[in-house]
Amino acid sequence: MLRGRPLRDRLPLPGVPAERRHRGDRLVAAVLVLLLAGVAVLYAAQSPAAHTESVTAATAPTPPPPVGPVPAGFTELWRAASPDTPVPLAVGDGVVVAAGSRVSGHDARTGAERWSYSRDLPLCTTGFADGRVLALYRNDEYCSELSTLQPGSGARGPARTLDARPGTRLIGQDPVLATGQDYVETFRSDLVRTAEYGTVRALEEPGSQPRSGCTFRSFATAEDRAAILERCPGEPSERLTVLRPSGTEGDRPAFDSSSVTGTDGAQVVAASSERVAVLLPGAPRLALYDRSGRSIGEFPVDAGATVAAPADGVARTTADDRRRYWWTGGATVALDTRSLQPRWSLPGTLGPGTRYGDRLLVPVPGGIADVDPATGVVARTLPVDRGPVTAPVLLAAQGALLVELRGDELVVLGPAG
């Protein structure tokens, strides 16, 4: 016997001409090649990349003009339809617009498109976290296809699948919370899922979810915390649950606290590393809960003529290093960043406002109020003609420019003169 195969495997088969054997071998090889090619074509046709159009920026973005003192006025530079950005995405050095199936990055000054990304699926929502634009697409009944994009170039980053339902919002930073009426999940900056809570689609550990049939009504996030106000069958009132993603194992979520509140019709406004602020029904007042879920005080709030709960369950807020600015539906209320206690209230506003240098600019009917962020005192109002306003006006600063999201339309304003 020779080394390797037995001798009988190395000898020609009796009665079979060598030419026919070689011809048969070539036929088998050709069939295998065709099969492999067919599999490759089928995979390519079904892969997300086959239904994606990505055009990246050819050059680095032009930085917007640096912020300085509040100017004498603002003038419109450009506008675009952007129904799929729930907040203005003034990120990197540009502005991001999203509509239908398409996300695009624009020069902040001119509005010129610099990059674009689209799929053959409708957008559910967009967001921004950990330095990346998040674009979540709907596949069948789920908002499941998450793509990440670099804000300056539009280059694609990591992708993953979610089990979010239509109507979801992507809020928070590392972890990001994907909201929903009966299911939420969180994921880290590397897009690894850290927790899921509620009606889990593919439950691996029966009994791992503590409650079933609950309806989630409002949400807020903080450092490794996700606050959820929910209504569960058989319970006397709403329940405030604070999820702790880092402590979750498998399908079994970990919590800082979860207890009934004794109220119905409340709204989670904000969360910090130690507290959660909840707007109580009736006469506007803010209830604060500590990390164990214990109520530690209530504070009256001048909420203005209108108090409105957002349809997506996420309070309209912005923040700086010392305060959070919350829009009640009729007033802008400043909360201390750590204690979440209200500091001042400015009625008659259209949104929470945004920091502009050392000032706070707040949208009001017919203009923008120049506000002292420490006291809420208005120095002056800069005129802006928006026409009839039927939706919140959400502001973000991009250098010296202002980005206003007026319902489904995004408008960029620059210093006048």
Side-chain angles (χ1 to χ4, degrees):
M1 179 175 297
L2 299 176
R3 290 189 179 182
R5 293 180 296 166
L7 180 60
R8 64 179 178 273
D9 294 338
R10 302 167 67 92
L11 294 176
L13 294 174
V16 179
E19 182 179 351
R20 189 190 302 174
R21 290 199 311 272
H22 295 327
R23 193 163 51 243
D25 292 343
R26 287 195 296 270
L27 180 60
V28 170
V31 170
L32 289 174
V33 168
L34 289 173
L35 286 173
L36 290 173
V39 170
V41 169
L42 182 63
Y43 174 79
Q46 294 180 345
S47 70
H51 305 288
T52 298
E53 181 180 334
S54 177
V55 180
T56 56
T59 60
T62 302
V67 66
V70 178
F74 286 94
T75 185
E76 182 177 325
L77 300 179
W78 59 276
R79 64 174 60 199
S82 191
D84 293 312
T85 52
V87 296
L89 295 181
V91 295
D93 283 327
V95 177
V96 173
V97 169
S101 299
R102 196 169 187 270
V103 183
S104 54
H106 296 253
D107 183 279
R109 300 187 200 219
T110 67
E113 185 174 289
R114 302 188 61 257
W115 58 262
S116 66
Y117 177 83
S118 61
R119 298 188 59 176
D120 65 340
L121 300 171
L123 276 164
C124 285
T125 190
T126 56
F128 185 76
D130 305 307
R132 294 182 294 227
V133 177
L134 308 177
L136 183 60
Y137 288 87
R138 181 172 180 173
N139 194 346
D140 295 326
E141 72 270 28
Y142 286 90
C143 295
S144 57
E145 306 292 325
L146 178 66
S147 300
T148 64
L149 306 165
Q150 290 299 321
S153 66
R156 283 179 285 181
R160 62 153 296 187
T161 58
L162 277 66
D163 283 339
R165 281 54 158 175
T168 188
R169 284 280 307 277
L170 302 174
I171 63 173
Q173 300 274 337
D174 200 8
V176 176
L177 173 70
T179 69
Q181 289 189 346
D182 62 359
Y183 170 84
V184 299
E185 66 176 274
T186 62
F187 54 91
R188 302 187 310 227
S189 59
D190 59 4
L191 304 190
V192 171
R193 179 186 289 143
T194 48
E196 50 187 347
Y197 175 54
T199 305
V200 179
R201 177 163 57 160
L203 193 63
E204 296 178 1
E205 303 175 37
S208 61
Q209 294 293 323
R211 285 166 291 279
S212 62
C214 301
T215 300
F216 301 159
R217 294 182 170 176
S218 60
F219 317 87
T221 60
E223 306 156 25
D224 194 32
R225 308 182 83 205
I228 304 162
L229 193 70
E230 54 184 317
R231 194 65 167 89
C232 298
E235 295 191 338
S237 68
E238 290 171 326
R239 170 180 290 271
L240 178 62
T241 295
V242 182
L243 186 67
R244 182 162 44 85
S246 67
T248 295
E249 295 183 2
D251 289 334
R252 195 173 299 278
F255 304 95
D256 273 352
S257 61
S258 185
S259 58
V260 293
T261 61
T263 63
D264 268 310
Q267 175 191 346
V268 173
V269 170
S272 70
S273 59
E274 297 295 331
R275 295 183 176 184
V276 177
V278 176
L279 177 66
L280 299 178
R285 61 203 192 281
L286 208 60
L288 300 182
Y289 295 85
D290 66 14
R291 201 172 184 106
S292 66
R294 181 175 60 93
S295 176
I296 56 175
E298 294 183 9
F299 299 85
V301 175
D302 183 1
T306 304
V307 179
D312 58 18
V314 181
R316 304 301 186 245
T317 63
T318 57
D320 57 31
D321 56 348
R322 301 189 65 178
R323 283 165 289 271
R324 300 186 187 201
Y325 307 101
W326 159 49
W327 187 60
T328 67
T332 297
V333 179
L335 309 177
D336 182 85
T337 294
R338 291 192 174 275
S339 71
L340 299 184
Q341 293 183 22
R343 296 307 186 195
W344 53 259
S345 178
L346 179 63
T349 63
L350 301 176
T354 189
R355 281 300 293 263
Y356 191 92
D358 61 356
R359 305 293 291 177
L360 179 73
L361 298 186
V362 181
V364 295
I368 295 172
D370 177 3
V371 180
D372 182 338
T375 65
V377 173
V378 178
R380 55 182 171 153
T381 297
L382 307 156
V384 174
D385 182 10
R386 301 187 185 92
V389 176
T390 58
V393 177
L394 305 180
L395 282 183
Q398 181 59 289
L401 311 180
L402 284 181
V403 183
E404 284 195 351
L405 186 63
R406 307 171 185 172
D408 288 348
E409 191 167 46
L410 187 143
V411 181
V412 178
L413 308 173

